[in-house]
Amino acid sequence: PPSPSPSLADRLSPFDLDLHDFPRTGRGVRTLRDRAPGEVVLEWSDREVVHAERALDVRPDLAAAAEYASEVAGMPMTEEDVIACCAVLEERDEGGEGADGGCTAVWRGTLPVRVTSGLELSDSPGRWLLPRCYLSAVDATRDHAARQHARCVACLKATGGGLDDADAAARLPIGRYLRAISAVRSRAFALDGEEFRLGPPSPHVLRRDERRTVILPLCDSMNHRGGARTRIERG
């Protein structure tokens, strides 16, 4: 993995944390001093917390596509769709919501440059090294994600002010989308939207239950001993 960016290092430094490559578990967040039980380890601003409604607020193009998917196409985008699309669109725009890179900037800065995901092994010889049952599950998940991607591209095209198929697909490359979906599924938390004051849920986003899918940058990367417990609280 690459060295942490200066901005990410600056983000961790006030909390006496840094990014470290651990021998057995890989890249993670390391504390530089002893911690007392119950001590706050890291804090996030509302702007750094990524969820579907936040993504729709900062991306009018994505909000229009989500409304089209729900009201016209009759197949609403999922929370995973919205977060993954937002991450890819902001990455492609190289700036998103102003110079800070949009609402996914901090989170994207924590991800390795190269991610090996089962969803990316469709044409790789390495796929045949997987157990057959796991390979079947990976293929089914990839097919589902590819259909989700096609729907997202179609909705961006329909609301994109004259985008053709190639333009819409170029804005949301399937490889980057699959990588983003993998990151969302492996790193997101399910939080109570009311308890954490995330605002009203969008009527244009499909969710599994009352909890909200939320990305808390770096919280998924805290390296700790087995049995250690962490708690997420709203300040």
Side-chain angles (χ1 to χ4, degrees):
S3 299
S5 65
S7 59
L8 192 56
D10 290 345
R11 180 68 181 80
L12 292 170
S13 179
F15 297 93
D16 294 322
L17 302 170
D18 71 359
L19 284 180
H20 182 72
D21 290 328
F22 293 90
R24 297 176 59 186
T25 54
R27 192 187 198 197
V29 176
R30 175 179 64 174
T31 182
L32 302 178
R33 61 176 174 81
D34 292 338
R35 303 278 171 169
E39 180 182 349
V40 173
V41 176
L42 185 61
E43 295 178 346
W44 297 267
S45 69
D46 286 338
R47 288 176 57 84
E48 295 172 322
V49 177
V50 184
H51 54 90
E53 285 69 25
R54 170 82 175 129
L56 297 181
D57 284 344
V58 302
R59 298 286 317 190
D61 53 350
L62 189 54
E67 182 175 358
Y68 179 91
S70 175
E71 300 295 333
V72 180
M75 298 190 70
M77 290 184 179
T78 66
E79 292 178 287
E80 292 176 347
D81 287 332
V82 173
I83 296 172
C85 286
C86 184
V88 175
L89 291 171
E90 290 188 339
E91 180 185 48
R92 300 287 289 181
D93 289 350
E94 297 182 352
E97 182 199 356
D100 62 358
C103 72
T104 65
V106 174
W107 175 49
R108 284 187 284 113
T110 70
L111 301 176
V113 171
R114 185 66 197 163
V115 180
T116 302
S117 163
L119 298 185
E120 300 176 76
L121 294 177
S122 61
D123 301 317
S124 170
R127 63 184 269 106
W128 301 113
L129 299 176
L130 299 174
R132 185 175 300 175
C133 59
Y134 183 68
L135 180 60
S136 298
V138 167
D139 286 343
T141 302
R142 189 186 191 284
D143 289 344
H144 174 69
R147 290 193 297 271
Q148 288 178 287
H149 171 263
R151 288 197 293 267
C152 292
V153 168
C155 292
L156 285 170
K157 175 189 173 185
T159 58
L163 290 177
D164 60 22
D165 290 342
D167 291 335
R171 292 205 67 209
L172 195 70
I174 187 168
R176 303 304 299 176
Y177 174 86
L178 292 177
R179 189 169 297 177
I181 279 287
S182 296
V184 174
R185 289 190 170 188
S186 62
R187 295 170 180 263
F189 295 83
L191 301 182
D192 185 294
E194 184 174 347
E195 178 183 351
F196 286 88
R197 303 196 295 277
L198 299 178
S202 169
H204 304 307
V205 176
L206 181 65
R207 48 183 44 87
R208 296 186 183 92
D209 53 40
E210 295 181 354
R211 295 177 300 173
R212 309 275 276 277
T213 299
V214 178
I215 298 289
L216 295 171
L218 296 166
C219 189
D220 59 289
S221 301
M222 292 184 183
N223 190 287
H224 52 67
R225 66 181 182 274
R229 296 181 179 181
T230 56
R231 183 173 66 249
I232 302 170
E233 296 181 348
R234 174 73 187 196

